[in-house]
DNA sequence: CCACCTTGTGCAACTAGTTGCATAAGGCGT
DNA sequence: ACGCCTTATGCAACTAGTTGCACAAGGTGG
């Protein structure tokens, strides 16, 4: 139940149309809460119906027209409530770790290449985060909101750092593993 | 599309009934791919229908009877295929980070308590992982499957370590933040 | 001047996961 | 022998997210 709140946050930072929101979700906010444009449009409709946001009175609201939204007081209140309410972390689901575990049973064939690919993706993401940090959080900037936002970015950086390190470690393990195959002494002879 | 593969892995490790699987998902496998018993039963039905697993011929398959499943060769093949196939990491969705970002706009009221609670949860999980490591991976054990499984556990340990550290850092930031409120110089005076 | 591309909005159908409840068998106490 | 608890299996309805497509407006090039 977080997408509406992600949208409220984005709209409070800057009133936007659906497509503008979509673009921003592909950058800053989407780094830790991704969403497709269809999700966003649907949610904008709901939020408007609930009276939490409203369309800024632009020209004519015809099709193919930009329609910008802003947050209404009840929307801000709801966001504040949600932010402060207790929430349980949702259970982990990580396919890569699952695949590694499966590999222990059915063999590692093909996995190494994908680990390498993931490593590259995470390295790229890490580089991007560092660039954002350099650009948006120079040493002087440390008002309360800056500190909070920097904290979030730090989480992103540290997470990507973890993944790159772990993947590096995993690949080095693969390097001296009894190649591919069942990886199981008791496995049946293949074919 | 990973739940069926999680189940195949679990069944290869040890043929089990639905409930036994559920219990194991609450422990080892579920640490990185959680599932409820309803998901598991449904998926067992599908896997059986597809001919990837079969029910072990037990007594009478009446209701309230244990029904254990084992993986058939096509099931093993499918798992091997999936494990080696390239897969994109799925986009991140972390509500806690989102809430922090929201807090930069609508204020931090209530958040600190929940951060503290999350810190405790992660510390507990970390302790559990370390205990498993101590118990299941003593210095001698390092055959190929041991190495792979240890690698997975290491990821869990390092992830929990990251979270505990980051949450600690976040809480220390909160400690010298201009208390609660809007955390925004330009915010409207509350109420 | 019209075919085609881009921008922006949106519906419909599908997949995956969650929640709440139903049902059956067997043991246990009184 | 009856109610009740635990174990085990499962259906149905719901929520959240994904995928594929449709459609309108406005610009662009042959």
């Amino acid at each position: 139940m977080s997408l509406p709140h992600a949208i409220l946050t984005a709209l409070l930072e800057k009133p936007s149309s659906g497509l503008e929101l979509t673009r921003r979700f592909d950058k800053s906010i989407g780094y830790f809460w991704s969403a497709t444009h269809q999700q966003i449009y649907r949610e904008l409709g709901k939020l408007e119906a609930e009276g939490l946001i409203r369309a800024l009175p632009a020209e004519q609201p015809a099709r193919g027209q930009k329609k910008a939204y802003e947050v209404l007081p009840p929307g801000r209140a709801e966001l504040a409530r949600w932010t402060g309410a207790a929430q349980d972390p949702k259970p982990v689901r990580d396919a890569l770790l699952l695949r590694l575990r499966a590999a222990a049973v059915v063999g590692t064939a093909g996995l190494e290449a994908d680990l390498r690919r993931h490593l590259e993706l995470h390295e790229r993401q890490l580089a991007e985060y560092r660039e954002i940090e350099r650009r948006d959080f120079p040493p002087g900037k440390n008002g309360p909101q800056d500190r909070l936002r920097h904290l979030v970015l730090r989480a992103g950086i540290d997470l990507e750092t973890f993944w790159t390190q772990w993947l590096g470690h995993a690949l080095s393990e693969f390097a001296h593993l009894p190649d591919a195959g069942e990886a199981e002494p008791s496995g049946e002879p293949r074919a």
Side-chain angles (χ1 to χ4, degrees), chain A:
Chain A
M1 269 282 294
S2 304
L3 177 58
H5 303 98
I7 292 178
L8 288 172
T9 304
L11 286 181
L12 278 171
E13 287 172 1
K14 180 174 180 311
S16 314
S17 71
L19 197 67
E20 281 163 1
L21 278 178
T22 303
R23 292 204 211 292
R24 290 213 277 142
F25 269 75
D26 286 342
K27 294 188 302 177
S28 59
I29 289 231
Y31 287 143
F32 43 92
W33 201 277
S34 72
T36 62
H37 79 272
Q38 291 87 344
Q39 279 181 279
I40 290 170
Y41 281 118
R42 235 185 318 173
E43 207 59 48
L44 282 172
K46 281 192 211 169
L47 287 169
E48 190 177 24
E50 289 166 14
L52 302 189
I53 63 175
R54 70 162 177 187
L56 282 177
E59 306 79 85
Q60 66 277 48
R63 215 160 173 158
Q65 277 310 98
K66 267 195 198 178
K67 201 164 48 169
Y69 292 91
E70 69 174 355
V71 178
L72 296 171
R76 174 179 278 261
E78 165 56 23
L79 184 59
R81 186 204 61 73
W82 176 81
T83 302
Q87 282 174 44
D88 287 329
K90 77 166 173 62
V92 177
R93 283 210 182 88
D94 188 288
L96 201 55
L97 296 179
L98 187 56
R99 284 163 72 198
L100 224 67
R101 174 112 174 206
V105 185
V106 297
T108 58
L111 228 185
E112 190 174 350
D114 209 35
L115 288 185
R116 225 175 280 286
R117 200 172 61 89
H118 279 239
L119 176 55
E120 248 176 69
L121 291 173
H122 285 294
E123 276 169 348
R124 213 183 325 270
Q125 191 63 48
L126 179 54
E128 194 172 334
Y129 283 161
R130 284 204 210 281
E131 173 60 20
I132 293 174
E133 185 178 41
R134 200 188 55 72
R135 202 186 56 215
D136 293 357
F137 301 98
K141 263 198 132 193
N142 57 357
Q145 335 87 301
D146 298 314
R147 284 163 168 281
L148 285 172
R149 285 199 249 263
H150 196 170
L151 206 48
V152 174
L153 182 58
R154 267 277 130 211
I157 290 174
D158 291 352
L159 263 176
E160 294 302 330
T161 301
F162 152 73
W163 279 113
T164 54
Q165 283 176 358
W166 181 82
L167 282 165
H169 183 50
L171 282 166
S172 85
E173 279 282 12
F174 268 58
H176 46 81
L177 216 58
D179 250 25
E182 294 293 303
E184 212 185 6
S186 57
E188 67 255 25
R190 48 191 135 78

